[in-house]
Amino acid sequence: MADEVQQTPKRGRRPGGTDTRAALLAAAREVFSEQGYDGATVRTIAARAGVDAAMVNHWFGGKEALFGEAVLQLPFNPKEIIAHLLEGGIDDLGTRIVRAFLTTWDAQGGGVFAALIRSVAAHEQVADVLREFFLKNVFAQLAGKVADDRPDLRANLVASQMIGLGVVRYVAKFDPLAESDVEALVRAIGPNVQRYLTGPLD
C-alpha cells in the first residue's frame, strides 16, 4: 500500500469571501491610523490584509468608502451620495444637500454624527483626518462641479454650514432646531447653502 502523501496547505492570498471584507476593515483601520488618509494606499491596505488590491473595489468601491466605513463608520458611501446629489439641476443643489444630510443622520438617531464630533474634540489626529476626508471627498467634490469661482472657499463655507447644523441638532441639541421637521430646515437652510455654492460671495 502506497504511503499517504500529506498535502501541505498552499500559501497565498486570502480567498475573496466575507472574511476578506473583515480583514480589509481591520487592516484599513491600522494603515489609516499609521499613515493618514492621503498616505494610505489601497495596495498597502490590501497587502496588510493579505488580499489582492482588487478586493478593495470589489467590497467597498474604492479607498473613500473603505475609509468611511472602517474609520469614520459612516452610514453612507461618499461617491454614491455625491452622484445622487448631482443627478438633479444645479439651481436646487443646496436644498438637496441639506435634505440628504438630515435624512442620513436622522436615520441613525444622530448618534453616529455625535460620536464623530466627540472623537474630533478628543483627538487632534482624528480632526485632521476627518477634515481632510470630508473637504476633499465630499464638499470640495460638490463645489468643484458647480462653482464658477473660489471652489475651495465655497467648499469650506458649505462644510461650516452643514457641520454646524449637525452639531446644533445632534450634539448640543438646541431646541427648536433639534426637533424641527426636516423639510422646514431644508426650506430655511437650503437657500443659504445654494448661495455658498453658486451665488456671489462679496
Side-chain angles (χ1 to χ4, degrees):
M1 184 175 180
D3 293 338
E4 292 184 359
V5 178
Q6 186 174 1
Q7 295 289 331
T8 301
K10 293 182 179 180
R11 299 178 63 86
R13 294 189 182 276
R14 186 189 305 269
T18 54
D19 62 331
T20 296
R21 191 177 194 281
L24 282 168
L25 287 169
R29 292 186 188 102
E30 294 176 359
V31 175
F32 282 126
S33 176
E34 295 166 3
Q35 302 181 21
Y37 180 79
D38 277 345
T41 66
V42 166
R43 193 174 298 276
T44 301
I45 293 167
R48 181 76 61 93
V51 303
D52 190 274
M55 288 293 101
V56 172
N57 283 330
H58 172 73
W59 285 106
F60 301 98
K63 175 180 168 181
E64 298 91 343
L66 175 58
F67 179 82
E69 184 169 343
V71 179
L72 303 180
Q73 298 183 338
L74 296 179
F76 61 87
N77 181 315
K79 281 187 175 179
E80 291 178 0
I81 200 166
I82 289 170
H84 173 70
L85 288 170
L86 292 173
E87 283 177 356
I90 294 175
D91 292 342
D92 61 348
L93 178 58
T95 61
R96 295 201 304 277
I97 289 173
V98 177
R99 184 179 293 111
F101 179 91
L102 290 171
T103 54
T104 297
W105 297 113
D106 275 16
Q108 310 296 317
V112 176
F113 184 90
L116 280 176
I117 297 303
R118 293 189 180 104
S119 295
V120 168
H123 305 286
E124 184 176 351
Q125 184 181 19
V126 175
D128 291 341
V129 172
L130 187 64
R131 179 172 57 249
E132 178 182 284
F133 176 79
F134 271 113
L135 278 176
K136 176 177 289 186
N137 295 289
V138 181
F139 299 116
Q141 291 291 324
L142 291 169
K145 295 288 187 181
V146 301
D148 291 329
D149 65 329
R150 304 162 81 179
D152 291 341
L153 175 59
R154 291 179 185 276
N156 274 262
L157 289 170
V158 174
S160 71
Q161 180 75 71
M162 302 316 302
I163 300 302
L165 172 61
V167 169
V168 170
R169 186 171 175 86
Y170 305 120
V171 183
K173 297 184 178 180
F174 289 178
D175 285 329
L177 193 148
E179 301 297 330
S180 292
D181 176 73
V182 167
E183 288 305 314
L185 294 177
V186 168
R187 290 191 297 272
I189 301 170
N192 201 40
V193 173
Q194 187 68 41
R195 184 177 72 83
Y196 286 157
L197 286 169
T198 60
L201 296 180
D202 296 329

